Amino acid sequence: MQRFDFRFDLRGTDRATAARRGTFQTPHGPVETPAFMPVGTNGTVKGIALDPLRATGAQMILGNTYHLSLRPGEETVRELGGLHAFSGWDGPILTDSGGFQLFSLAQMTKVTEERATFRSHIDGRLIEFSPERAVAIQEALGSDVAMVLDHVVALPATPEVIADALERTLRWAERCRRAATRGDQAQFAIVQGGLDPERRVYCATKLAEMDFPGYAIGGLSVGETPTEMYACLDVTAPALPREKPRYLMGVGTPTDVVEAIARGVDLFDCVMPTRNGRNALAFTDQGPLRLRNAKHERDPQPLEADCPCPACRHSRGYLRHLFMAGEMLGPILLSIHNVTYYQRLVAGARGAIEAGTFAEFRARKLAGWKKPEAAAAGSGEEGFAPELP
Ligand SMILES: [Zn+2]
């Protein structure tokens, strides 16, 4: 198979922050960065059909190796033409390796140097995942970007446990690299190391020596404070090669996305827009709105006056009514609005980096979100739904 050139063109960097504007080439088209990938766990971004999904501005989506290997099984997906043909999404797709789900969803996960063994959360079946198997599944799925299998530890853990998992993550990354056979699939390595700056830099440096086409920062947004996460990014991002894309896994709130862009992150994925949309929470530049709140009952305004999404053709009162009446259109419309919101946010960041105004963009967005997000941390009702795996 001919080797595709997964080039990352760094088109500009911000002067006041570490924000970067780039273009990442994939066999299914370019991805303009910073970019946000909606999560399509089971080969679908929940509740959003393909045409409205494209209309949100999403360029690349994420599929879950763990879920798709259990159901319908990667061989079924391969027989039906791979994940692109199977799902109908003809743009770029990234698949995770299953590492995160192995240690969050699966039951009784046991790790040896050779592999992880666990019971399926669906039917309790005993399943084995090795680095080579994670590569083989993702090659059967045929994603544009595959992730290496990493050993994720539940925190808090002793320094010995964290160090042991970190060394295994490095050895497993090397095994994944050796196992890869597809020239049209890029493999990204994953930096682990908890919140310890030295371990993060060590892991990033070791992985950079292996020369992967891209690097992810994993193991964040798992219960640490935003300040701790940003401090971790401050040391990890500069330790990664400048000319390769950087992907922050599973993050986050709009604030987290903007703060991570300011620290040099290029790619994001998170279930926040869709999971919160299903729970009647809409993201806006004035902070999140909880539509079940009675104050929206007779509100004639759209969620956002300048949003082009189909939800914003309706009033907040109507959208609230859909949720109160248990109509499936409510979760669908709010999911579309929220994914559109994240896409407009990263598009705004790209434009601001190009124009040299990212610092102002960041300050303006943070000021708009400040009040409700402060409330979310305390007793206010307009909070975010907690993030789950
Ligand atoms: Zn909208």
Side-chain angles (χ1 to χ4, degrees), residues 307 309 312 337:
C307 176
C309 92
C312 290
H337 170 80

Side-chain angles (χ1 to χ4, degrees), residues 10-238:
L10 196 53
R11 295 174 43 193
T13 47
D14 186 48
R15 282 205 192 116
T17 69
R20 293 138 54 97
R21 172 75 182 88
T23 307
F24 178 55
Q25 303 292 342
T26 82
H28 290 85
V31 181
E32 301 300 333
T33 67
F36 180 85
M37 298 180 284
V39 177
T41 304
N42 289 307
T44 162
V45 175
K46 285 191 200 304
I48 312 184
L50 290 176
D51 288 343
L53 180 59
R54 282 193 197 94
T56 64
Q59 307 171 72
M60 185 173 196
I61 63 170
L62 181 140
N64 278 117
T65 290
Y66 170 87
H67 288 95
L68 290 166
S69 71
L70 296 186
R71 189 170 55 193
E74 71 277 11
E75 287 310 322
T76 302
V77 177
R78 192 208 302 265
E79 241 178 87
L80 291 173
L83 191 51
H84 290 90
F86 182 62
S87 69
W89 175 262
D90 57 6
I93 298 177
L94 179 147
T95 45
D96 67 3
S97 62
F100 185 67
Q101 284 75 25
L102 274 182
F103 299 98
S104 59
L105 273 189
Q107 285 145 26
M108 305 187 342
T109 300
K110 286 200 182 75
V111 180
T112 63
E113 184 59 26
E114 188 51 33
R115 63 176 68 86
T117 312
F118 60 96
R119 290 200 179 275
S120 154
H121 74 288
I122 298 170
D123 56 13
R125 196 154 43 105
L126 196 65
I127 297 168
E128 293 184 343
F129 246 61
S130 63
E132 291 77 13
R133 170 115 176 91
V135 171
I137 296 169
Q138 293 179 88
E139 290 199 343
L141 297 174
S143 51
D144 298 88
V145 176
M147 302 303 299
V148 301
L149 185 67
D150 52 343
H151 184 181
V152 184
V153 286
L155 297 174
T158 64
E160 291 74 28
V161 168
I162 293 173
D164 177 59
L166 183 56
E167 292 296 335
R168 185 161 301 103
T169 291
L170 292 173
R171 291 190 296 270
W172 282 8
E174 182 54 42
R175 277 170 63 183
C176 284
R177 210 175 63 127
R178 283 202 303 264
T181 65
R182 280 188 79 139
D184 60 348
Q185 187 177 62
Q187 204 175 54
F188 282 16
I190 307 175
V191 179
Q192 291 287 351
L195 294 173
D196 182 334
E198 272 176 36
R199 279 208 187 91
R200 285 276 173 182
V201 170
Y202 167 76
C203 188
T205 309
K206 286 286 174 192
L207 291 172
E209 285 168 9
M210 296 182 209
D211 196 25
F212 284 89
Y215 294 89
I217 302 169
L220 291 176
S221 203
V222 291
E224 78 281 5
T225 67
T227 311
E228 287 171 322
M229 179 169 79
Y230 305 153
C232 182
L233 292 177
D234 280 332
V235 295
T236 309

